[in-house]
Amino acid sequence: QVQLVESGGGLVQAGGSLRLSCAASGRTFSSYGMGWFRQAPGKEREFVAAISWSGGSTSYADSVKGRFTISRSNTKNTVYLQMNSLKPEDTAVYYCAARPPGVGPFVYWGQGTQVTVSS
């Protein structure tokens, strides 16, 4: 069982930056793949970024590539999402997620943190 708690959301002007954090409980964090997703009002939840258990492999949605960076600290049981050059269309609730070792779905989810980008 993994519990995830996001933090770092807030209100920022377009062009600004925010860093989201996701603190995970459980001794197995270092073996889990981690991801960030987001859901804007009236839209479906969408993939933002993911990182492998070691941090050696990352992937990004095309809409955030070059602006967002996902990273993790297995000693701190935390995954981060550095968001730069924010746009109003990045406004959403951002969720952290974890998936057990192997290829499979994300099964553990945080409660989300609101990010609002004003124009």
Side-chain angles (χ1 to χ4, degrees):
Q1 187 79 7
V2 176
Q3 292 184 324
L4 304 172
V5 179
E6 302 96 335
S7 62
L11 173 64
V12 64
Q13 289 188 331
S17 298
L18 281 175
R19 187 174 83 154
L20 305 183
S21 298
C22 173
S25 66
R27 294 175 292 175
T28 57
F29 171 80
S30 61
S31 65
Y32 280 63
M34 300 296 297
W36 287 96
F37 294 75
R38 66 186 182 187
Q39 186 167 20
K43 294 188 177 181
E44 292 187 353
R45 188 175 297 185
E46 65 175 2
F47 169 77
V48 175
I51 189 166
S52 63
W53 67 272
S54 67
S57 177
T58 58
S59 60
Y60 297 92
D62 287 343
S63 59
V64 306
K65 204 171 290 184
R67 299 187 299 123
F68 290 11
T69 303
I70 189 171
S71 61
R72 67 188 294 161
S73 169
N74 287 342
T75 57
K76 296 182 179 179
N77 277 18
T78 302
V79 62
Y80 306 96
L81 186 68
Q82 177 67 45
M83 306 186 295
N84 298 328
S85 302
L86 283 161
K87 304 175 181 180
E89 51 263 44
D90 294 319
T91 295
V93 177
Y94 283 71
Y95 298 90
C96 174
R99 62 182 171 192
V103 180
F106 288 91
V107 297
Y108 299 109
W109 294 83
Q111 292 188 326
T113 185
Q114 176 70 47
V115 172
T116 303
V117 184
S118 63
S119 57

